[in-house]
Amino acid sequence: MNVQRVIRELRAMLKDAGLSGSFLVRDLATGDELGISPDVELPIASLVKVPLAVAVLERIQDGRIDGADVIDLPPGLIASAGQVGLSRFRHPARIAVEDLLYLSTALSDNAAADALFGLVPPAEVNHVLVDAGCTGITVRHTMRELTRTPARRFEPREAHLAHSPAIGSRTAGHGHPIPQLDVSRANSGTARACVDLLQALWLPARIPVAVAAQVRSLMGENVIRHRLTPYFSSDASRWSSKTGTLLNLRHEIGVVEHEDGSKYAIAALTESTVPAAVQPTAEAAMAHVARALHDQLRAR
């Protein structure tokens, strides 16, 4: 099928699901790629935990941080409790840095990520990205700032009241009255920049090889598997990824490694026009689009 026709049909599928999106799939062996609006900048939400992991692990490797050091963490570090993790704890905990890395990356634990940001602030994570040659991602704030959105004012059954102000308020330059959705104030990036980071991790040149391997391992242990995983994980392929979710934003980036040795880096960044927290149709649509782009590229 003609590639332009495929792209048109996939855009229509996204629109029918109430989504707009920025997608990119890259063959890591050849550099060939296929995407939909891959250079649109969006807030990246929890995707920021991947460069954070790189920054912390580099400092562990060079001795600036001891991965076995424990950090005392009181309860209530982040007011908005996530589905899992330290924000659900009711009592103080002592957790080693390397275990915080697992919680932050594999479980997307915001409180664990902020404990790591206490060791490597956002500005230093940015320096690590620049050194790695990944300049399209900007890290500006911790996860605590990310959770200070209208969503924390409402009960789960009232989620639509938090999502409604997020929808349709973006300016032509991707500004937004909600700071966490404004690309000039939020942690931000593009699908292309995310794929560049994945390539730097799977084909390490400027990131230390051991650090890249550890980040790949953490992404392979991702427990959030309802989005793209059903379309990419099988007995004949391995899917390693990180998700990001904030109000009407739903993202996932990852690499699928096939039994034949081929590897494809994939970034799917989307925003929804539907004021609802739970949107299985949107999740399925973004996964279908990512898989269709992958299949089209692989068939070339």
Side-chain angles (χ1 to χ4, degrees):
M1 187 182 294
N2 180 275
V3 173
Q4 286 72 28
R5 180 182 171 188
V6 170
I7 298 298
R8 285 197 303 271
E9 291 179 355
L10 295 178
R11 286 185 184 275
M13 174 178 288
L14 289 170
K15 185 177 180 180
D16 288 345
L19 295 174
S20 60
S22 177
F23 291 76
L24 187 66
V25 179
R26 180 181 297 163
D27 184 336
L28 292 180
T30 66
D32 292 342
E33 56 186 34
L34 188 61
I36 297 174
S37 304
D39 298 305
V40 172
E41 188 177 14
L42 290 169
I44 56 173
S46 285
L47 299 183
V48 76
K49 293 165 185 170
V50 177
L52 173 62
V54 175
V56 173
L57 285 165
E58 283 195 3
R59 281 152 179 74
I60 291 175
Q61 185 185 65
D62 66 22
R64 283 179 283 175
I65 294 175
D66 186 341
D69 278 351
V70 295
I71 296 178
D72 292 315
L73 300 163
L77 288 173
I78 290 183
S80 301
Q83 293 182 338
V84 297
L86 296 174
S87 60
R88 292 278 179 183
F89 281 26
R90 299 181 181 181
H91 306 284
R94 302 188 75 206
I95 303 178
V97 172
E98 288 185 335
D99 293 330
L100 288 170
L101 276 167
Y102 168 73
L103 293 173
S104 172
T105 312
L107 275 69
S108 203
D109 185 330
N110 287 341
D114 270 0
L116 297 173
F117 270 125
L119 300 174
V120 188
E124 293 186 28
V125 177
N126 269 327
H127 290 318
V128 169
L129 284 168
V130 172
D131 289 345
C134 303
T135 57
I137 297 172
T138 304
V139 184
R140 296 185 173 93
H141 58 72
T142 66
M143 305 312 294
R144 183 186 296 271
E145 296 302 316
L146 189 69
T147 62
R148 292 174 175 167
T149 71
R152 69 178 184 173
R153 304 173 193 166
F154 301 103
E155 296 295 325
R157 67 179 181 277
E158 300 173 321
H160 63 284
L161 299 176
H163 284 246
S164 294
I167 296 167
S169 299
R170 190 175 302 285
T171 68
H174 277 223
H176 202 287
I178 298 174
Q180 296 86 349
L181 299 179
D182 186 331
V183 296
S184 68
R185 293 181 283 177
N187 299 327
S188 65
T190 66
R192 187 179 305 281
C194 290
V195 166
D196 288 343
L197 176 58
L198 294 171
Q199 180 168 323
L201 290 167
W202 262 258
L203 301 175
R206 297 170 66 172
I207 294 176
V209 172
V211 169
Q214 286 175 278
V215 177
R216 295 197 303 269
S217 177
L218 288 168
M219 293 177 68
E221 294 168 351
N222 182 16
V223 301
I224 303 174
R225 305 180 67 79
H226 67 284
R227 196 162 284 169
L228 267 58
T229 302
Y231 283 71
F232 287 101
S233 184
S234 72
D235 288 347
S237 62
R238 174 178 173 81
W239 173 244
S240 305
S241 70
K242 180 72 193 75
T243 58
T245 308
L246 177 67
L247 293 175
N248 66 323
L249 302 178
R250 286 166 176 78
H251 308 326
E252 187 160 356
I253 63 172
V255 171
V256 58
E257 301 175 71
H258 294 293
E259 207 170 39
D260 63 6
S262 60
K263 300 179 180 68
Y264 293 83
I266 299 162
L269 280 57
T270 71
E271 52 185 343
S272 175
T273 60
V274 179
V278 179
Q279 296 187 41
T281 299
E283 309 278 3
M286 66 182 289
H288 180 89
V289 169
R291 182 72 203 202
L293 290 169
H294 162 277
D295 291 351
Q296 183 74 19
L297 183 61
R298 196 178 185 200
R300 285 184 178 179

